[in-house]
Amino acid sequence: MTFPHDPNQPQPSGQAPYGQTQPFAQTPQGQPQAPYGAQPPHGQPYPQQPYGQPPAKKKRKWPWVVGGVVVVLIVAGMVGGGDEDKSSTTAQSTSSVAVAPPAGANASLEAVAAPVEPATSAPEPEEAVPGIGQEVRDGKFGFVVTGVETGVATLGDNPYLQKDALGQFVLVSVTVTNVSDKAQSYFGSNQKLIDAQGREFENDAMAAINLEAETAIGGDINPGLSQNITIVFDIPVDAVPATLEVHDSVFSGGAEISLQ
């Protein structure tokens, strides 16, 4: 049989009066709280966080670490900058000291510093063109000019073959020699005359017939034989013969003989 509890009777130590709940003791800040659902030991309060007070925050150490690194870098930069300033100052002071060269060294230094100009070779002299009395060769023929006559107005005694110059006739006497081992045909039409102005003139074969009918047009010359031929050109009265261009054939390169 149970009897109602008398509230006036004293309660055992650690228990609240009948009808009242005994709160747990408050735990200081930073101590662990009671796990959820855990009961304190019989008759003892379990520490717990006061109601309404936020849990304590842990202090973060990384801002202090980063700040320390920044300070170290600044100090290192200041020390390094001081060294650079010292080194630059030392370099400036060193470069400002001028050492006087020994006597006679200026001339040597100027000689060394002077640019060396490349040696220029002298232009090769132009090869002189053979003149009257000198032999030139083209192909199988050798040519030697033996004389030049200018200012001729008319050629020929035969009234039917006689020819008057439009300007003036120039008669060039040439000895033609076959220097090969076979017969070669010579043609007066292959020969050219060039005046002092660079103008080129053709052979006048019809006028040359009045002088030498057999050689005026041309013919074969055997090996080792020579033939005297007069080449006739009709040029302006004021023109000055300068060069005779002789050819072994119409396809040859030709050779020049000075007529002055």
Side-chain angles (χ1 to χ4, degrees), residues 105-116:
N106 291 336
S108 301
L109 292 175
E110 292 176 359
V112 172
V116 178

Side-chain angles (χ1 to χ4, degrees), residues 95-210:
S95 61
S96 62
V97 178
V99 179
N106 291 336
S108 301
L109 292 175
E110 292 176 359
V112 172
V116 178
E117 297 181 359
T120 56
S121 57
E124 296 182 359
E126 296 182 1
E127 186 177 354
V129 178
I132 298 174
Q134 296 178 308
E135 182 186 59
V136 298
R137 292 189 177 186
D138 182 68
K140 298 179 180 181
F141 287 143
F143 299 86
V144 178
V145 174
T146 58
V148 179
E149 184 180 355
T150 61
V152 179
T154 303
L155 286 176
D157 297 330
N158 189 328
Y160 298 101
L161 299 177
Q162 187 181 46
K163 188 173 183 182
D164 297 330
L166 298 176
Q168 63 169 328
F169 286 126
V170 175
L171 312 180
V172 182
S173 300
V174 183
T175 299
V176 182
T177 303
N178 186 341
V179 296
S180 70
D181 55 359
K182 294 181 180 180
Q184 178 70 10
S185 298
Y186 164 84
F187 293 97
S189 60
N190 294 332
Q191 318 315 316
K192 315 292 181 184
L193 185 142
I194 302 172
D195 71 353
Q197 300 181 38
R199 296 176 293 183
E200 184 178 288
F201 301 92
E202 299 288 338
N203 168 260
D204 191 340
M206 296 304 297
I209 291 176
N210 290 283

Side-chain angles (χ1 to χ4, degrees), residues 68-93:
V69 173
V70 172
V71 172
V72 171
L73 292 178
I74 294 174
V75 174
M78 296 175 61
V79 174
D83 295 340
E84 291 179 357
D85 294 339
K86 292 180 181 179
S87 60
S88 61
T89 305
T90 304
Q92 291 178 358
S93 60

